[in-house]
Amino acid sequence: MLNDVDTKKIKGTVYGLDRILGNCNGIVSFSHQLFDEFKNKKSMIYKNDYMFTNSLVESKKLFINLALNRNFYNNNDVNELKNIIGDKRIILGIGSEININNYPGMVIKSIINLRNNYGADVRLLFLRGIDYDNIVDEEKNIIQSCSWIHTLNVSNIDIMNAYDKCHILIYPRRDCKCDYEFDIVMKEYILSGKPILCNRGMERKYELGNSYIGYYDSGINLSLIHISEPTRPERI
């Protein structure tokens, strides 16, 4: 559920939330961590000129929760997936459009290692495509050289069915969005019920818990243990 906020009291746009919700028209969504930062007068975010007035902070109208419902999505099969899914394949999916801020470099290196040294048929799906204008040539060349990376353009309304076909969903975001922002993709991941491999971030810990077993750091190569651990009932 989304609640209205009086945009006249807002001194600007926070971390591109307008891009998430489009033309907000007075509707904005905030994260738990961002709300905590607004309450901390020593926080750099609190002191930023583009943030909110003290009266709005004190009004406790900042935290607005967006709850997704499975009924928002179609149950149609995604035809593009039919030739990718296989009984012996491990399917990893990323639901965000790929760009310089969430390019999954360590994930790709780890899959190369798993395929070359362990014979694992791991496939990586970019389910919402790639922003080619916002990745560097080296990243673009790596993507194009890996036949096991599949770039799709699944519609928002069909995305949940695509998640259902994946064994594990990956959240590679590593900028301030992982620490402070609401992200509808993570909400979708949680709704899907699929295991999630997630780059560490303060806001993600609110959603998944401090001790979630699927966290990884961008500088660490993923192993078969990392990939399988979110599906295990206990830590390895």
Side-chain angles (χ1 to χ4, degrees):
M1 181 177 67
L2 284 172
N3 298 320
D4 288 332
V5 166
D6 184 356
T7 53
K8 293 180 181 179
K9 295 182 179 180
I10 296 178
K11 288 187 176 181
T13 300
V14 181
Y15 290 133
L17 288 171
D18 59 325
R19 294 198 303 273
I20 299 173
L21 298 176
N23 184 4
C24 296
N25 193 27
I27 297 177
V28 187
S29 187
F30 300 89
S31 67
H32 295 82
Q33 185 63 35
L34 196 57
F35 184 59
D36 285 349
E37 293 292 326
F38 283 137
K39 293 189 292 184
N40 179 5
K41 293 184 179 182
K42 295 182 180 180
S43 166
M44 291 299 295
I45 289 180
Y46 182 91
K47 298 175 182 178
N48 192 300
D49 289 339
Y50 287 96
M51 298 307 151
F52 297 82
T53 62
N54 291 343
S55 60
L56 186 57
V57 172
E58 293 170 359
S59 73
K60 298 183 180 180
K61 293 180 180 179
L62 282 174
F63 180 68
I64 304 166
N65 189 35
L66 173 62
L68 300 183
N69 189 301
R70 188 79 191 219
N71 293 330
F72 296 168
Y73 302 89
N74 282 335
N75 292 319
N76 300 334
D77 287 336
V78 180
N79 292 328
E80 296 171 280
L81 292 175
K82 291 181 178 179
N83 295 327
I84 300 173
I85 306 301
D87 292 339
K88 296 182 179 181
R89 290 178 176 174
I90 302 171
I91 307 298
L92 309 181
I94 297 177
S96 304
E97 183 183 53
I98 301 300
N99 57 51
I100 197 169
N101 292 318
N102 68 350
Y103 173 75
M106 285 300 166
V107 173
I108 291 174
K109 289 180 180 178
S110 299
I111 294 175
I112 291 173
N113 179 56
L114 293 173
R115 292 178 64 89
N116 292 345
N117 297 325
Y118 297 93
D121 189 0
V122 183
R123 302 298 176 107
L124 181 60
L125 310 186
F126 297 156
L127 295 170
R128 282 191 168 106
I130 303 171
D131 180 1
Y132 280 108
D133 293 330
N134 198 17
I135 61 173
V136 300
D137 288 341
E138 180 183 358
E139 295 169 344
K140 186 186 304 183
N141 292 337
I142 290 173
I143 291 171
Q144 293 174 344
S145 68
C146 297
S147 61
W148 42 266
I149 295 179
H150 304 273
T151 303
L152 311 175
N153 287 286
V154 180
S155 66
N156 292 336
I157 201 168
D158 291 326
I159 195 68
M160 201 59 64
N161 186 66
Y163 292 153
D164 288 343
K165 304 299 183 184
C166 298
H167 295 105
I168 295 175
L169 301 174
I170 297 177
Y171 187 88
R173 192 90 191 193
R174 59 188 181 275
D175 60 356
C176 64
K177 191 183 186 94
C178 202
D179 283 324
Y180 298 114
E181 279 196 23
F182 156 90
D183 192 340
I184 194 170
V185 171
M186 179 55 72
K187 301 291 186 186
E188 289 175 342
Y189 282 9
I190 294 170
L191 179 62
S192 76
K194 289 289 182 174
I196 302 167
L197 277 176
C198 180
N199 207 4
R200 294 182 188 275
M202 292 183 288
E203 179 58 25
R204 305 291 79 89
K205 290 181 179 180
Y206 273 102
E207 296 166 315
L208 300 175
N210 286 328
S211 58
Y212 180 66
I213 61 178
Y215 290 128
Y216 73 95
D217 296 307
S218 293
I220 298 177
N221 285 342
L222 300 176
S223 65
L224 281 173
I225 290 179
H226 284 92
I227 289 177
S228 65
E229 192 168 11
T231 67
R232 297 172 182 266
E234 298 178 354
R235 285 180 176 273
I236 296 176

